[in-house]
Amino acid sequence: MTEKKDIPSVNNSIQTRLSGVMLMVLVFALGINFFIFSQIQNAVTRIDAVFSSNVDVNELSEALELVENTVYEYLNTKSTEALENYYRYDQNYKNLIEDLNDKNMDSEVKMLEKNIRRMSESYLDQTNETVQAKRGRNVEKYKTSYETENQLYEYINTYIYKLNNLRFKTNSANYQLLLSSMNVLYRLCLIVLIVVYVVGLAVTVLLVRNMIRPLTALSNTAHEVAKGNLDVPQLPIVMDDEVGVVTRSFNQMLESIRENIDQLKESMERQAQMKERELMMEAHLKEAQLKFLQAQINPHFLFNSLNAGAQLAMMGDADKTGIFLEKMADFFRYNVRKMEEDAMLWEEIEAVDNYIYILNVRFAGDIVYIREIDEDIENIRIPSMILQPLVENAVQHGIHDCMETGRIVMSIHRNQDMIDITVSDNGAGMTEEMIAKVMEGRAVQDEENRYSTGIAVHNVIERLKLYYKQEGLMTIESDGPGTGTKVHIVIPMEKEELE
């Protein structure tokens, strides 16, 4: 196992980079907007100043007219209200002319303002003199003063009109200049916005591309690994961000998978070798057991069979003795020869016939043996020494001690792609406990029984399982003591045998 490597923390995360880019774009945009806003504010202030100058001139003209009208009204009515209005308008006009220029300057506008201010001061002095003459009832004086005042009023109006026109021309030029400046500012604003947008888009695209490129490589490599290709090269780590951490972890995971697979292969190879040796040992053991059981002939059975032959010979029946010895020789020859081979079904049937013949000679024909066999299935290949132990078991444990004539029926039939074999007897029968012991191999084989060949039924079960690699091919049925026993075997046929 590889040592676990510490995954470093994220030093330059995607969130930090994105936040930095967004902050930079926002600060730049804010600075540009502030600059544009200040320029617009200056332009608006200048425009206000342009129009305010004409407004001031108009206000000055209106104030002069109010003073003149109130003087005229007072001269005609001599009312207190007219006098109060005169003083109020007079003071207002004085305040307005104080804002006018009173110095010599190289400006036509400023010089007009100076002249208007000087004439206005003289005009106000003349109006005051006229009002005072009116209040003193000096008719000749206030008439003469009023005429002088009126002339000054006309002069001042003329100068104010000229000042207004001159300012209007100047302000119009300034207004056109301001309009041009506003257009330039508008274009500059559009250009700056486009530049900000393009720069922000370019930076974002570059940043996203730098993030997507390693992610794409990681995705393609992961797809190859998912398809089972573990020979892909390790991915380079571009930056120590989240993608870099994931890439480093993926490389470590891939390396761990490779090492684990190599270790697993080694372990599986060792296990396969051990399993192979175990299976070989098991096969050799089963083969040895099988050969032992196949070769195991109870000497009592052999002795009693030879004794029966000797008795026949002593009786002088040479033909019957010859047939008996021939059947006996065929039976033992088949038993020995077939230890290492399969057998044809007809050979197994012939071995059963010989075994029954030997027993009937010994027991004077007390066993009734019936065969029910399909004719077209005798060339089927099966494990050797399968049928005879079943018949032997029927004789030894079924009909041996039966008071009636023993009866054994062996039926072999084809059922589609299977061969059904049944060996039944009318003997002692079996309990469910006895059947379970036989099927599980817990029944004790009595090797000293003089009628036994020494091959147990459980051996047949194990050999069927080993040969066909299936379980449950053999079953035993009995309704209880005294009801007989039926052994049923199902053998699958090979494809070649089916054809």
Side-chain angles (χ1 to χ4, degrees):
M1 296 295 290
T2 58
E3 297 181 356
K4 293 185 178 179
K5 300 179 180 179
D6 295 334
I7 298 177
S9 60
V10 178
N11 296 325
N12 190 12
S13 66
I14 296 174
Q15 180 180 0
T16 302
R17 283 187 286 163
L18 285 176
S19 300
V21 170
M22 295 302 298
L23 181 61
M24 181 183 67
V25 172
L26 289 176
V27 169
F28 185 68
L30 182 62
I32 294 300
N33 288 331
F34 180 77
F35 171 77
I36 294 174
F37 175 78
S38 62
Q39 294 299 318
I40 292 175
Q41 188 69 24
N42 291 334
V44 171
T45 303
R46 293 169 63 185
I47 291 175
D48 288 341
V50 167
F51 289 102
S52 65
S53 63
N54 286 98
V55 172
D56 293 341
V57 173
N58 291 332
E59 186 179 356
L60 184 65
S61 177
E62 292 175 357
L64 177 62
E65 184 178 359
L66 289 174
V67 172
E68 182 65 23
N69 291 336
T70 54
V71 171
Y72 179 78
E73 182 182 358
Y74 178 72
L75 293 178
N76 291 329
T77 62
K78 201 180 180 180
S79 63
T80 303
E81 181 180 0
L83 183 61
E84 291 177 354
N85 289 336
Y86 161 74
Y87 286 126
R88 185 170 65 252
Y89 295 143
D90 178 77
Q91 184 61 41
N92 182 44
Y93 188 68
K94 286 180 180 180
N95 294 334
L96 292 175
I97 64 174
E98 287 180 357
D99 295 333
L100 297 177
N101 179 49
D102 60 347
K103 297 179 181 180
N104 294 324
M105 298 180 67
D106 189 15
S107 172
E108 186 178 1
V109 173
K110 296 299 182 180
M111 293 306 295
L112 281 175
E113 290 183 358
K114 178 182 178 183
N115 293 333
I116 293 172
R117 181 169 181 170
R118 293 289 181 264
M119 286 189 295
S120 296
E121 291 174 351
S122 299
Y123 169 77
L124 292 176
D125 292 339
Q126 194 65 41
T127 55
N128 185 50
E129 183 179 343
T130 302
V131 171
Q132 294 300 325
K134 178 64 176 177
R135 294 182 67 181
R137 298 180 181 183
N138 189 344
V139 177
E140 291 296 330
K141 187 178 182 179
Y142 81 74
K143 285 184 178 181
T144 304
S145 180
Y146 178 74
E147 290 177 359
T148 303
E149 168 201 333
N150 199 347
Q151 290 177 356
L152 289 173
Y153 171 74
E154 294 296 335
Y155 289 145
I156 293 172
N157 266 337
T158 301
Y159 275 82
I160 289 176
Y161 179 75
K162 186 178 180 180
L163 177 62
N164 194 23
N165 288 336
L166 186 59
R167 282 192 172 182
F168 181 78
K169 291 179 181 179
T170 304
N171 291 340
S172 297
N174 292 335
Y175 182 72
Q176 293 298 325
L177 181 61
L178 289 174
L179 285 179
S180 300
S181 300
M182 290 293 292
N183 289 331
V184 173
L185 191 61
Y186 173 74
R187 293 188 182 92
L188 179 62
C189 180
L190 288 179
I191 293 173
V192 169
L193 289 177
I194 292 174
V195 170
V196 170
Y197 174 76
V198 172
V199 171
L201 182 62
V203 172
T204 304
V205 169
L206 290 176
L207 182 60
V208 171
R209 181 180 297 175
N210 290 334
M211 290 188 298
I212 293 299
R213 186 181 294 113
L215 282 175
T216 303
L218 180 60
S219 175
N220 294 334
T221 305
H223 183 65
E224 289 295 323
V225 173
K227 292 192 297 184
N229 182 16
L230 298 178
D231 296 328
V232 294
Q234 289 198 348
L235 297 172
I237 299 173
V238 181
M239 295 192 69
D240 288 333
D241 54 6
E242 290 85 352
V243 179
V245 172
V246 173
T247 303
R248 184 178 291 106
S249 300
F250 179 82
N251 290 336
Q252 293 178 359
M253 179 193 70
L254 184 60
E255 187 65 24
S256 298
I257 290 176
R258 290 171 179 169
E259 293 179 0
N260 289 334
I261 288 178
D262 292 339
Q263 294 177 358
L264 183 61
K265 285 182 180 179
E266 294 177 0
S267 177
M268 290 180 64
E269 289 176 358
R270 290 195 298 268
Q271 290 181 0
Q273 293 174 358
M274 294 176 61
K275 186 68 175 178
E276 183 178 357
R277 288 195 295 267
E278 182 180 351
L279 290 176
M280 290 178 61
M281 293 177 62
E282 184 178 354
H284 290 327
L285 179 60
K286 287 185 176 294
E287 183 179 359
Q289 291 176 344
L290 179 60
K291 290 180 179 180
F292 171 75
L293 292 172
Q294 286 180 325
Q296 187 180 14
I297 303 297
N298 193 319
H300 291 280
F301 178 80
L302 178 60
F303 174 77
N304 291 327
S305 297
L306 292 175
N307 190 37
Q311 291 178 357
L312 285 176
M314 291 174 61
M315 293 173 60
D317 192 344
D319 292 335
K320 192 172 183 180
T321 301
I323 295 173
F324 174 77
L325 293 177
E326 183 180 354
K327 295 289 185 181
M328 186 174 169
D330 290 341
F331 175 74
F332 286 109
R333 185 185 303 112
Y334 176 77
N335 186 285
V336 174
R337 183 173 59 86
K338 287 300 179 180
M339 285 192 303
E340 299 178 357
E341 301 177 8
D342 297 339
M344 304 300 290
L345 181 58
W346 66 266
E347 292 179 310
E348 282 288 287
I349 296 173
E350 186 177 82
V352 173
D353 294 343
N354 292 334
Y355 176 72
I356 293 295
Y357 182 85
I358 294 171
L359 291 183
N360 274 330
V361 169
R362 291 170 53 192
F363 300 138
D366 291 337
I367 301 175
V368 176
Y369 171 58
I370 302 174
R371 297 192 316 175
E372 298 175 355
I373 302 172
D374 293 345
E375 296 181 356
D376 59 342
I377 62 173
E378 293 185 352
N379 290 323
I380 301 300
R381 184 170 294 279
I382 63 174
S384 63
M385 300 302 293
I386 294 296
L387 300 183
Q388 185 271 329
L390 302 182
V391 175
E392 177 183 321
N393 187 71
V395 172
Q396 180 178 346
H397 300 287
I399 65 174
H400 179 263
D401 296 325
C402 183
M403 300 302 294
E404 302 177 358
T405 301
R407 183 172 180 270
I408 296 176
V409 178
M410 183 175 68
S411 63
I412 305 175
H413 302 286
R414 177 174 178 174
N415 183 11
Q416 295 181 355
D417 57 347
M418 308 292 286
I419 298 296
D420 287 339
I421 301 175
T422 304
V423 177
S424 58
D425 63 71
N426 62 342
M430 300 177 68
T431 63
E432 292 183 0
E433 183 180 359
M434 295 171 62
I435 294 175
K437 286 183 178 181
V438 173
M439 296 298 294
E440 296 172 6
R442 294 184 290 112
V444 179
Q445 175 70 24
D446 186 4
E447 296 183 0
E448 298 301 323
N449 192 299
R450 54 199 178 107
Y451 306 113
S452 172
T453 62
I455 301 178
V457 175
H458 184 68
N459 178 33
V460 176
I461 298 174
E462 291 298 322
R463 286 161 58 211
L464 287 173
K465 184 192 304 183
L466 184 64
Y467 188 86
Y468 292 106
K469 297 180 177 56
Q470 297 183 33
E471 296 187 2
L473 297 178
M474 174 176 160
T475 58
I476 300 176
E477 302 174 7
S478 179
D479 294 333
T483 60
T485 304
K486 179 186 294 185
V487 179
H488 183 219
I489 296 178
V490 178
I491 294 179
M493 298 177 63
E494 298 293 337
K495 186 180 294 185
E496 296 79 4
E497 296 172 340
L498 292 172
E499 295 175 355

